[in-house]
Amino acid sequence: MVSLRLMKYLFPESFLWGAATSAYQIEGSPLADGATPSTWHEFTHRRGKVQDGTTGDVACDHYRRFDEDIRHMRDLGLKAYRFSTGWTRIFPEPGSVNQRGLDFYDRLVDSLMGAGITPLLTIFHLEEPVWLARGGGFTQRTSVDHLLELGKALMRRLGDRVRTWCTINEPSLYAFQGYATAEYPPAHRFDLRGMFHCAHHLLLAHARLVEACSALVRDGQIGLAHYYVDVAPANPARDRDVEAASFMDTMANGVALSPLFSGAYPEGVLRRMGRFFPAGFDRDLPSLRNLGTYLGINYYRRNRYRHSLFTPFLHAAEYVEASAPHTAMGDEIYPAGLFKALMRLKNELGNPPCIITENGPPIPDVEGRDPLDDDGRVAYMADHIAQLGRALLEGSDCRGYFLWSLLDNFEWSKGLSMRCGMIHTDFATQKREWKKSAFWYRDLISRGWLEHAALP
Ligand code: BGC
């Protein structure tokens, strides 16, 4: 007989319980009040780019309904809310600030503060202006100055109220999906030069934004949100799989994290692919060693790899273990990976303050299931949050958890049908309704502890 020992995982009073969104995914009205198109606006209007053919033209209409959404946040008891700003609302073209765009975020921040919710603002979350992309986007070094200008404009206007900043959402994934898999604009395939140039310039922009924050924001907290992947060998008993996995870990995690923590790119990556980095990149390395004040972790998946001679440069092929649980987007669900990530930060990287800036599953609607019955999300959250509680007991300095996402929204190349929210959005009527997970999360936040089967 299996005996189930329950454990109470306690969270400190100051723990930042929150939810995350991003501008293009929820706002709608992408060209309102003087904004110009972003690459995502263009991309979604090209046939075949989004799986279900939808766009972010309306999304959750949050641009016009943000007050209602903030009421939901307040009723949920959220301590914090992570959102991003639409770059082209603020800089419709290079060099000129559009006050009407800034006004929107000013009102949003005031409403959040009025509801007692701490804003966490992401400066760049996947939405690149078309005007920047036309000149080569982040493959060009001038992009760093443009992003810095955006950050400074936001800090000057909002820095008296917004104290917690995220410079960039997922630099490594942005570079990978934009230049290697073609899933994001500019949709290049196997363009390794583009990928490493883009990643390097994003990290450089991060470092500059951290400096700007210490000059412009009093008591500012700032970090980036890293897309952390738990990487494992397909067969742990096979040395070549273990080697392949360790190399893929440096690609997924090392390329973004090593410069921040040690001012260097992983040697193995440079040996195999150094020729794709921008000329003179090593001169930037000392300034890249600048984490900021915390590390954001977006955690969604485990990837397994086996050795393969047929994959140029990487010599690793992804292996999908069919018997493992996966989300509707194909992410292997592996809650223990969150604990491992936090222990790695603690034991190998000096235990910096960190925040889980995203975590949560998509649960698309299916015939015969009430869309508000999202037991799968409740189980996913409980399993991950318990691992977080376990990490706190082991001394991790994790200070917050942000569910992805507050409400069903536009899930990039998958469109509107993925449904990642704890609040259901009826995209025809814009009616919001709480799913089971929203009630569950509200109760967890107000209690401050989670009862869960004890973890090893
Ligand atoms: C991104 C979000 C996205 C989420 C769920 C993250 O990689 O930051 O914008 O919606 O994953 O797929």
Side-chain angles (χ1 to χ4, degrees), residues 105-111 113 118-119 154-165 217:
Y105 296 108
D106 202 86
R107 290 195 296 273
L108 178 72
V109 167
D110 276 347
S111 297
M113 308 288 288
T118 300
L154 288 164
M155 289 171 191
R156 286 197 189 104
R157 178 76 180 264
L158 307 172
D160 57 336
R161 287 152 291 157
V162 177
R163 291 284 147 79
T164 314
W165 296 76
V217 182

Side-chain angles (χ1 to χ4, degrees), residues 19-23 25-26 62 73 81-84 122 125 358 403-407 409:
T21 63
S22 90
Q25 295 183 272
I26 62 166
H62 175 81
M73 295 179 212
Y81 171 56
R82 174 173 176 240
F83 64 99
S84 77
T122 305
H125 193 126
E358 285 180 32
L403 175 71
W404 185 272
S405 182
L406 176 70
L407 69 178
N409 59 48

Side-chain angles (χ1 to χ4, degrees), residues 17 72-80 117 434 442 445:
W17 292 109
H72 284 291
M73 295 179 212
R74 191 200 51 209
D75 295 347
L76 283 159
L78 295 190
K79 307 267 189 257
I117 297 166
W434 288 23
R442 178 196 63 187
I445 295 173

Side-chain angles (χ1 to χ4, degrees), residues 106-152:
D106 202 86
R107 290 195 296 273
L108 178 72
V109 167
D110 276 347
S111 297
L112 287 168
M113 308 288 288
I117 297 166
T118 300
L120 192 170
L121 189 159
T122 305
I123 297 167
F124 177 60
H125 193 126
L126 272 60
E127 258 174 89
E128 192 176 313
V130 166
W131 58 253
L132 185 71
R134 292 250 155 85
F138 281 100
T139 64
Q140 302 301 308
R141 195 176 176 94
T142 44
S143 58
V144 174
D145 297 326
H146 289 300
L147 186 48
L148 182 62
E149 278 316 300
L150 171 67
K152 283 183 176 169

Side-chain angles (χ1 to χ4, degrees), residues 186-198:
H188 294 189
R189 254 177 225 287
F190 310 119
D191 172 2
L192 294 179
R193 185 185 171 280
M195 181 174 99
F196 285 116
H197 277 59
C198 172

Side-chain angles (χ1 to χ4, degrees), residues 22 25 125-126 169-170 173 184 227 298 300 329 358 404 411-412 420:
S22 90
Q25 295 183 272
H125 193 126
L126 272 60
N169 185 66
E170 305 177 343
L173 196 68
Y184 294 172
Y227 186 83
N298 292 358
Y300 289 101
M329 287 201 275
E358 285 180 32
W404 185 272
E411 179 50 40
W412 307 118
C420 292

Side-chain angles (χ1 to χ4, degrees), residues 297-299 338 342 354-359 388 398 400-402:
I297 295 280
N298 292 358
Y299 178 68
L338 186 58
L342 293 173
C354 73
I355 296 175
I356 306 308
T357 31
E358 285 180 32
N359 171 248
L388 206 168
C398 183
Y401 173 91
F402 288 70

